[in-house]
Amino acid sequence: METIDSDAIHHVRDAFIKQVAAKHRDTLLAIYNRLNVKVPYRFEQQDVRRRALMNACLEYLSVLEEDQSIQDLVWTQFDQADNMTDQQASLIMLTRSVRPERDKALEQFYAQWQDDALVIDKWFTVQGAAPAADNLERVQILSQHPAFNPKNPNRLRALVGAFAGNQFHFHNKNGQGYRFLSDIVLQI
């Protein structure tokens, strides 16, 4: 039986996305800037589509980690967002790597939304799904966070479910992702 090298698949996919972003950087940035208009937040189809395309462009650009102007743009969107859609989208981008901005954004997001259980579920999900190199360690720490309750199904799904769906880390060849999940199952 032939095995599938899931790490190789992810590396190839990431390299492809990075090539697309690098080749089309100026076009993606122009589209982002055109769509990034400061208008009062409205939950209308046209505005939802505009934000979705704008965030898709920034997500592609955000993989250009060596491009500081793009990384600054991701932080600016997070810091100045007037709606959760844009703030959460940029938070996801900031959690891709181990950078000081990531921790600052996660702390700021938690402080802003700590009284809204559904949004804190999103906060846990973003971190459980993050591809950053220290993901498992962060998830283990988060499983001890005062806001985490393994007996709360939504909170459990938010963190542990997101981690179990994290193809970058859950299926790591070292088996630690499986060990973590089995420990949680035994704990419950």
Side-chain angles (χ1 to χ4, degrees):
M1 177 180 225
E2 195 172 326
T3 61
I4 297 173
D5 187 347
S6 60
D7 289 345
I9 292 169
H10 295 297
H11 290 300
V12 169
R13 179 186 177 276
D14 289 348
F16 175 74
I17 290 171
K18 199 168 198 171
Q19 285 179 351
V20 169
K23 181 172 179 147
H24 300 287
R25 179 194 183 281
D26 294 341
T27 302
L28 290 165
L29 187 56
I31 295 169
Y32 173 84
N33 287 329
R34 188 177 76 236
L35 297 172
N36 188 20
V37 293
K38 297 299 175 202
V39 294
Y41 176 82
R42 298 178 312 179
F43 187 69
E44 294 185 15
Q45 193 173 39
Q46 180 178 350
D47 291 327
V48 169
R49 287 189 299 233
R50 178 186 54 78
R51 285 189 296 271
L53 181 56
M54 179 188 80
N55 286 317
C57 289
L58 188 58
E59 184 174 3
Y60 267 85
L61 291 166
S62 73
V63 302
L64 303 173
E65 292 183 7
E66 66 285 347
D67 188 331
Q68 191 57 48
S69 66
I70 296 296
Q71 299 310 311
D72 291 346
L73 187 61
V74 173
W75 171 256
T76 298
Q77 177 172 300
F78 173 83
D79 194 45
Q80 296 178 4
D82 65 354
N83 64 80
M84 193 188 323
T85 301
D86 294 345
Q87 188 180 42
Q88 183 180 351
S90 50
L91 181 64
I92 291 167
M93 295 170 217
L94 289 164
T95 61
R96 277 206 183 103
S97 61
V98 181
R99 299 175 67 125
E101 297 88 355
R102 173 193 70 174
D103 295 336
K104 184 178 178 184
L106 287 166
E107 290 170 13
Q108 192 172 320
F109 191 88
Y110 184 82
Q112 180 180 351
W113 298 103
Q114 64 185 321
D115 295 327
D116 189 323
L118 294 175
V119 179
I120 295 305
D121 284 344
K122 292 175 186 288
W123 180 77
F124 277 108
T125 298
V126 164
Q127 294 179 81
D134 66 343
N135 179 265
L136 177 57
E137 178 185 334
R138 289 186 68 84
V139 169
Q140 289 169 326
I141 291 168
L142 284 167
S143 71
Q144 304 302 313
H145 191 280
F148 181 76
N149 178 356
K151 295 180 181 178
N152 176 325
N154 289 340
R155 196 56 48 91
L156 182 67
R157 178 191 46 78
L159 179 62
V160 179
F163 176 73
N166 185 328
Q167 297 174 356
F168 295 99
H169 296 291
F170 178 65
H171 299 293
N172 190 305
K173 292 176 184 175
N174 67 17
Q176 297 217 5
Y178 297 141
R179 273 194 233 45
F180 170 74
L181 181 59
S182 63
D183 289 347
I184 292 288
V185 169
L186 290 172
Q187 177 187 348
I188 294 169

